[in-house]
Amino acid sequence: MLQQVAYEDIVNAVLTFDSDRVTDVTKKALSLGEDPVKIIEQGLNRALRIVGKKFEGGEFFLMDLVAAAEAVQKVMRETLEPEILRRKVQRKTLGNLVLGTVEGDIHDIGKNIVGAMLFAAGFEIDDLGKDVPSEQFVARARETNASIVGASALLTTSLSMQREIVKAMVAGGLRDRLRLMFGGAPVTDEWVKEIGGDGYAEDAVGAVKVAKKLLNIDFELQVE
Ligand code: HCB
């Protein structure tokens, strides 16, 4: 019951763009022993999905998207990501992973959460940021000898850039040397198969599972 109350409080705080309250309620939930990953998935992500629907329905405007995103980014950066990393049991390097949001797309909240979770699970993360051209994914994957490249796309118009990344990896001669993992709200398993990717993850916990599976590492999440 306590958990439900905390999640609803977080959702409501995001929906009213009250950044201080988002942080306060999140800290309270953590102090009650809540798992930071659950706070993200059931509180912050749920709130952002509602924000998206309200935007689509004309009830919220762009400035509302921005305000909600800022509140979520602040609590992620200052409170939840450090907590996820603090709870990590031990550091062992599972592989190098290059991560970014595709060209033409500046949505990076989900990509950042995925990066924090993968880092906590033991991957070395090279985060290229947002609006990243396909060639940059290739160049960095080559430089860092990456085992996996992960790319995020949130717009139906930027989705095709994931296919461009696959093509660029083939053209750059890297396709057979690494695994390609894709995610983002409009991405599906079918889409990833269609474009010739290796793995699809619906959320950050899924991304850790998929990344380990792609490298044949037994799955055990270590951020509890
Ligand atoms: Co934005 N936006 N937005 N937006 N936005 C969406 C994405 C819409 C769906 C909202 C809507 O209309 N319902 C919509 C896209 C519609 C479409 O393409 N069909 C939209 C639009 C239209 C736009 C603009 C075009 C608005 C405008 O300017 N008129 C514009 C685009 C700018 C651009 O990119 N060129 C825009 C701008 C913005 C901001 C800047 C205001 C802000 C982003 C801030 C930021 O990221 N720094 C924003 C936001 C916040 C959203 C919503 C509300 C939330 C996105 C989000 O952060 N979700 C979103 C609504 C929605 O998605 N339903 C809306 C939470 C995260 C945690 O989820 O899916 O990103 P996620 O990540 C998950 C998951 O997918 C997976 O794990 C993550 C963690 O669980 N995952 C991976 C993600 N990447 C992965 C990679 C892997 O390898 C593996 C797993």
Side-chain angles (χ1 to χ4, degrees), residues 152-174:
S152 184
L154 266 285
L155 299 168
T156 42
T157 49
S158 68
L159 201 51
S160 62
M161 295 316 296
Q162 293 185 334
R163 192 197 295 274
E164 295 308 311
I165 291 173
V166 179
K167 285 188 190 165
M169 290 293 167
V170 173
L174 292 189

Side-chain angles (χ1 to χ4, degrees), residues 54-72:
K54 286 181 183 284
F55 176 69
E56 213 170 34
E59 194 183 332
F60 277 1
F61 300 101
L62 188 57
M63 64 180 193
D64 300 323
L65 279 191
V66 173
E70 279 174 5
V72 170

Side-chain angles (χ1 to χ4, degrees), residues 40-41 44-45 48-49 51-53 55-56 62 65-66 68-69 73 99-100 104-111 113-114 130 149-157 181-186 200-205 207:
I40 293 170
E41 297 294 353
L44 301 175
N45 286 6
L48 285 176
R49 278 195 294 274
V51 170
K53 289 224 164 68
F55 176 69
E56 213 170 34
L62 188 57
L65 279 191
V66 173
Q73 280 173 305
L99 191 64
D105 198 327
I106 61 166
H107 295 85
D108 65 355
I109 297 175
K111 183 264 297 167
I113 295 172
V114 168
K130 53 199 174 189
V149 170
S152 184
L154 266 285
L155 299 168
T156 42
T157 49
M181 174 170 78
F182 297 111
Y200 159 69
E202 192 183 354
D203 56 28
V205 174

Side-chain angles (χ1 to χ4, degrees), residues 31-223:
S31 73
L32 290 171
E34 287 296 336
D35 177 1
V37 177
K38 282 198 186 140
I39 294 176
I40 293 170
E41 297 294 353
Q42 295 181 33
L44 301 175
N45 286 6
R46 192 148 65 85
L48 285 176
R49 278 195 294 274
I50 297 172
V51 170
K53 289 224 164 68
K54 286 181 183 284
F55 176 69
E56 213 170 34
E59 194 183 332
F60 277 1
F61 300 101
L62 188 57
M63 64 180 193
D64 300 323
L65 279 191
V66 173
E70 279 174 5
V72 170
Q73 280 173 305
K74 182 167 187 288
V75 76
M76 278 302 306
R77 198 175 48 240
E78 294 176 6
T79 308
L80 288 165
E81 285 179 7
E83 184 62 22
I84 288 172
L85 300 182
R86 197 183 64 76
R87 292 181 181 213
K88 186 169 63 65
V89 180
Q90 60 187 22
R91 182 100 200 116
K92 54 177 182 175
T93 300
L94 300 181
N96 291 342
L97 199 146
V98 170
L99 191 64
T101 301
V102 301
E103 187 168 14
D105 198 327
I106 61 166
H107 295 85
D108 65 355
I109 297 175
K111 183 264 297 167
N112 293 343
I113 295 172
V114 168
M117 288 288 291
L118 286 164
F119 181 76
F123 288 89
E124 291 304 320
I125 304 299
D126 196 347
D127 188 343
L128 303 180
K130 53 199 174 189
D131 190 16
V132 181
S134 311
E135 296 69 31
Q136 205 179 324
F137 280 98
V138 177
R140 197 61 74 86
R142 196 192 308 281
E143 276 164 32
T144 60
N145 198 21
S147 315
I148 299 180
V149 170
S152 184
L154 266 285
L155 299 168
T156 42
T157 49
S158 68
L159 201 51
S160 62
M161 295 316 296
Q162 293 185 334
R163 192 197 295 274
E164 295 308 311
I165 291 173
V166 179
K167 285 188 190 165
M169 290 293 167
V170 173
L174 292 189
R175 183 64 191 94
D176 296 335
R177 290 178 14 203
L178 48 72
R179 299 282 174 265
L180 296 172
M181 174 170 78
F182 297 111
V187 182
T188 61
D189 203 20
E190 291 69 40
W191 166 253
V192 173
K193 286 192 178 112
E194 184 191 319
I195 63 175
D198 300 305
Y200 159 69
E202 192 183 354
D203 56 28
V205 174
V208 174
K209 285 187 192 170
V210 169
K212 288 187 168 183
K213 195 165 161 226
L214 291 176
L215 300 184
N216 296 316
I217 299 164
D218 284 340
F219 175 70
E220 194 191 329
L221 193 60
Q222 296 169 0
V223 290

